[in-house]
Amino acid sequence: MDEVVLGQRGRATIDFHCAVRGAVAKLQRAVEAELSDAGINAQTMPEKMDDRHRLVDDTLARSPVYGARALLGEWTAKDHGPICQDAFAEIRETVEPMLRALEDGPATLELDETLQLPAYFGRVWFHRTTGGWDASEHNGFVHGELIHKRILTRVFGGNIFGHRRTAAAKAPPRAYRRILDMGASSGHNMVALAEAFPDAQISGVDFSARMLEQARRVANAHGWAWKLYQRPCEATGFADGSFDLVSSYNLIHEIPPRIIRAVFAEAYRLLEPGGTVIMSDVPRYADLDRMASWRFDWAARWGGEPYWRAASITDLVAVAQEAGFVDVNGGVLPGGQPYILVARKPEAA
């Protein structure tokens, strides 16, 4: 769907938003320079995260640089969604027929109208999306095609998709035939899996109907017969041993620790003996210095990420081992992102 052409207003507004994001990044570097001048660095920051936030706030209380960074950071965190919604509204009459056409194809989607969303999902406006993921009829397209491809690729570089391909390539070599993506969202990780394992049957589960609808469009656009289900990742309802590879990308930091453990337990149950799990997510705070982890935590506090800190201090290697996995390896790529965990279900399980 890269052929979608934005209207003049939508394109200009998104360009402006990305420019402001660039300014925020420069201001962040200036903030950390001011902290360094005050003797605050990765070695001198307090151990506890809340103490770090208090120290920075107190030290830079009169800093115009810190104030500008906070103000512009708040605007970008709050307004990226409405900006892209407006950009979609400008081209809606042109795009809607294409979206309707992509509802038909080899991909299937099973929605559950009786599904009761748990509080950890249903009461949260992730990424400060007004009303939550399903508040707007076309949120899946807006997030999958506009926010991710027109903003995040420019702000964070094209590697937000390259990282998914890198994670898929970490699977030990074998002929994977039945793959499950947990937290499928609008299908970006499923694309990486489909490219890496073209002969596999790929399924995906997610709570969001709107995101799954966009994933179906993506699959149909490529002619892929994905099977998509609106189900909890921690209780998918599939039979034991249904898959030989279970994967997720950026699911972990969107769920509280008790659900993280349930997801790993579910992945273990769903894998056939000898099957592989690949869970990719944001860096663990233990892998970062105190300044870098403060930087992540500061952004997460204002970016609509209520579980980020709790997830980022969770030892995923230990969680995988508790679930029964063996040969567990977890670590970050050079450059610091993403964190990738690969593990195996024992053959005798």
Side-chain angles (χ1 to χ4, degrees):
M1 279 176 271
D2 294 332
E3 69 274 14
V4 171
V5 178
L6 292 175
Q8 181 178 359
R9 183 186 297 273
R11 183 173 62 253
T13 308
I14 287 175
D15 286 346
F16 177 74
H17 178 92
C18 291
V20 174
R21 287 254 190 160
V24 169
K26 292 179 181 179
L27 287 169
Q28 179 66 34
R29 291 192 289 271
V31 163
E32 293 181 27
E34 289 192 353
L35 289 174
S36 179
D37 290 343
I40 300 171
N41 53 44
Q43 290 70 44
T44 61
M45 273 192 156
E47 179 179 358
K48 294 182 178 180
M49 184 63 71
D50 287 338
D51 291 340
R52 289 181 227 173
H53 287 298
R54 280 190 286 270
L55 176 63
V56 172
D57 289 344
D58 291 345
T59 303
L60 301 182
R62 296 182 179 274
S63 166
V65 173
Y66 189 49
R69 190 262 178 266
L71 180 67
L72 293 179
E74 164 70 8
W75 180 79
T76 59
K78 182 180 67 174
D79 280 9
H80 69 283
I83 283 171
C84 287
Q85 290 284 0
D86 289 345
F88 171 75
E90 189 178 11
I91 59 174
R92 181 169 183 158
E93 290 186 5
T94 302
V95 173
E96 275 190 325
M98 179 190 73
L99 299 184
R100 285 195 295 269
L102 288 174
E103 292 174 4
D104 297 322
T108 60
L109 171 58
E110 178 186 293
L111 297 180
D112 183 356
E113 296 182 357
T114 67
L115 181 65
Q116 297 295 312
L117 296 176
Y120 78 81
F121 180 88
R123 297 180 183 176
V124 175
W125 291 4
F126 291 99
H127 305 174
R128 300 181 71 169
T129 301
T130 302
W133 286 133
D134 289 357
S136 172
E137 178 185 4
H138 293 298
N139 257 5
F141 175 84
V142 169
H143 280 264
E145 293 297 315
L146 301 187
I147 292 176
H148 276 84
K149 293 186 177 180
R150 306 302 174 97
I151 291 182
L152 297 185
T153 54
R154 293 170 63 179
V155 173
F156 298 113
N159 273 347
I160 65 169
F161 298 111
H163 288 160
R164 289 166 169 83
R165 292 190 288 271
T166 299
K170 293 290 185 180
R174 62 178 287 185
Y176 294 99
R177 297 295 180 184
R178 297 166 297 144
I179 299 175
L180 176 66
D181 188 35
M182 291 180 154
S185 190
S186 55
H188 293 314
N189 194 49
M190 296 182 74
V191 169
L193 294 168
E195 292 173 349
F197 310 106
D199 297 325
Q201 171 62 66
I202 300 178
S203 301
V205 294
D206 201 281
F207 275 130
S208 171
R210 304 292 83 80
M211 296 300 166
L212 290 169
E213 288 166 353
Q214 177 62 15
R216 178 176 59 183
R217 297 183 192 111
V218 171
N220 286 335
H222 289 85
W224 291 328
W226 293 350
K227 295 182 178 181
L228 301 162
Y229 304 87
Q230 187 184 26
R231 299 180 184 179
C233 294
E234 66 271 27
T236 62
F238 297 117
D240 293 359
S242 293
F243 303 97
D244 48 25
L245 173 62
V246 173
S247 176
S248 78
Y249 192 95
N250 277 357
L251 167 68
I252 300 301
H253 75 268
E254 307 282 23
I255 53 180
R258 63 182 177 82
I259 304 299
I260 294 174
R261 290 177 169 80
V263 163
F264 271 88
E266 179 72 349
Y268 185 89
R269 184 186 71 80
L270 292 175
L271 283 169
E272 65 181 23
T276 300
V277 65
I278 302 177
M279 300 290 195
S280 306
D281 211 81
V282 297
R284 308 293 87 198
Y285 282 1
D287 295 328
L288 304 171
D289 63 40
R290 291 181 182 178
M291 180 66 73
S293 57
W294 165 79
R295 187 185 309 128
F296 273 104
D297 203 76
W298 197 95
R301 287 172 67 190
W302 304 112
E305 302 281 8
Y307 309 121
W308 184 297
R309 184 192 299 185
S312 293
I313 63 175
T314 298
D315 184 344
L316 297 184
V317 169
V319 171
Q321 291 170 336
E322 290 168 8
F325 287 104
V326 297
D327 299 333
V328 182
N329 291 288
V332 294
L333 294 179
Q337 292 193 68
Y339 176 92
I340 302 175
L341 180 144
V342 182
R344 180 175 60 87
K345 183 173 181 175
E347 295 284 353

